Amino acid sequence: MKLLRHGPVGQERPGLVDAEGIIRDLSSIVADIDPTAVTPEGLASIAAVDPATLPAMAADTRLGPCVGRPGKFICIGLNFADHAAESNMPIPEEPVVFMKATSALSGPNDPIIKPRGSTKLDWEVELAFVVGKECRYVDEAEAAAAIAGYCVCNDVSERAFQMQSSQWDKGKGCDSFGPLGPWLVTADEVGDTSDLHMWLEVNGHRYQDGSTQTMIFKPAFILAYLSRFFSLQPGDVVTTGTPPGVGLGQNPQVWLNEGDRVSLGIAGLGEQHQIVVSA
């Protein structure tokens, strides 16, 4: 299933995409695509519905972040061997973990807000997953079974903020720095995530053109690893790193500015399209 949230900011309603690509409203079935809906029981209740019986929505309806009210927004850095190389950093021996503020979440096509004082605004196409079961000291097999689904994330980054005193969170959690969606695609539909094509363009120029094939730590390993340090709950979002081609890695370096257009996507998970605006 391809699940989504549609409607004005702060008033999003649950929905899904049917086999013909039509957005169907799920408000009569679940209150939201949220921590309750992404559990095995919640997903089963949605799967039991005939999409043809649900109201159709306009194709141009705004899409919000594909999961609502996650408790945590966890990120993994330097998780692609070729991205670590372009960053002139060694391949990590264990996952590099940092957090984004949940207030950074935005819709897949909402504007990227350039913060005041920003001088090095950057992009990162990433594969994210949403947790569907509580996880605490789980092994990889249990972790794989606990992933509700996958989605596209743009891990927007302000490198000057990030590198200042090596405080990554300052440059990762600004408002609009976590576009998520367009859809949450359930794990059973995605299947194998070991070789998904990932791409990102700025103003029509393709900077990132990679694959999850070069990912160092795979999603199930990441979830099992994280569960050693804190519990994870349904609805938590984990984004898993980016392939090479970020602005930081260009020679000369390239940064986003007001008016720039960013497009990105992952095979089977949809696309995002954003315009950079000033705060």
Side-chain angles (χ1 to χ4, degrees):
M1 295 184 293
K2 293 182 175 69
L3 306 177
L4 53 82
R5 301 172 68 247
H6 64 96
V9 176
Q11 302 175 42
E12 293 91 348
R13 302 198 306 273
L16 58 75
V17 180
D18 70 16
E20 286 71 46
I22 299 171
I23 296 174
R24 301 281 183 169
D25 185 76
L26 274 169
S27 298
S28 62
I29 309 301
V30 292
D32 199 355
I33 305 302
D34 61 6
T36 300
V38 300
T39 62
E41 297 78 14
L43 294 178
S45 69
I46 296 172
V49 176
D50 178 1
T53 66
L54 302 172
M57 308 304 298
D60 61 352
T61 186
R62 173 190 171 268
L63 299 181
C66 59
V67 63
R69 297 183 297 280
K72 293 185 280 297
F73 193 171
I74 308 163
C75 307
I76 305 299
L78 299 173
N79 194 33
F80 283 65
D82 37 10
H83 173 54
E86 76 166 347
S87 302
N88 295 314
M89 299 186 75
I91 292 175
E93 295 183 0
E94 59 183 306
V96 176
V97 181
F98 61 95
M99 299 281 194
K100 279 183 180 282
T102 55
S103 54
L105 284 168
S106 60
N109 304 317
D110 291 345
I112 293 172
I113 302 170
K114 184 178 182 181
R116 296 176 185 178
S118 168
T119 58
K120 297 181 179 181
L121 188 63
D122 206 348
W123 59 82
E124 295 187 10
V125 58
E126 302 205 4
L127 173 70
F129 64 83
V130 174
V131 179
K133 299 179 183 178
E134 185 167 15
C135 292
R136 185 181 290 107
Y137 298 111
V138 296
D139 61 27
E140 283 191 57
E142 293 169 320
I147 294 175
Y150 298 87
C151 57
V152 181
C153 179
N154 187 356
D155 177 15
V156 183
S157 308
E158 212 305 325
R159 303 299 188 187
F161 297 174
Q162 176 188 354
M163 303 304 181
Q164 186 181 51
S165 304
S166 297
Q167 298 188 56
W168 281 33
D169 290 1
K170 291 195 323 186
K172 294 286 192 172
C174 304
D175 291 354
S176 81
F177 275 24
L180 207 66
W183 321 306
L184 173 63
V185 186
T186 51
D188 61 324
E189 182 166 325
V190 176
D192 185 8
T193 62
S194 63
D195 190 11
L196 299 178
H197 181 227
M198 309 170 69
W199 60 273
L200 182 144
E201 297 177 351
V202 179
N203 299 326
H205 178 83
R206 183 156 294 196
Y207 284 96
Q208 293 190 272
D209 197 3
S211 167
T212 54
Q213 191 172 31
T214 63
M215 187 182 285
I216 301 165
F217 305 109
K218 307 301 182 183
F221 178 90
I222 291 169
L223 182 50
Y225 175 86
L226 293 172
S227 78
R228 292 162 46 188
F229 305 102
F230 46 81
S231 63
L232 295 101
Q233 285 76 39
D236 286 349
V237 176
V238 182
T239 190
T240 62
T242 196
V246 300
L248 178 70
Q250 305 302 308
N251 187 17
Q253 293 173 333
V254 178
W255 310 115
L256 294 171
N257 291 296
E258 292 90 343
D260 285 343
R261 294 177 177 269
V262 183
S263 296
L264 59 148
I266 299 176
L269 302 183
E271 299 182 3
Q272 301 184 357
H273 303 277
Q274 297 126 16
I275 297 177
V276 181
V277 301
S278 57

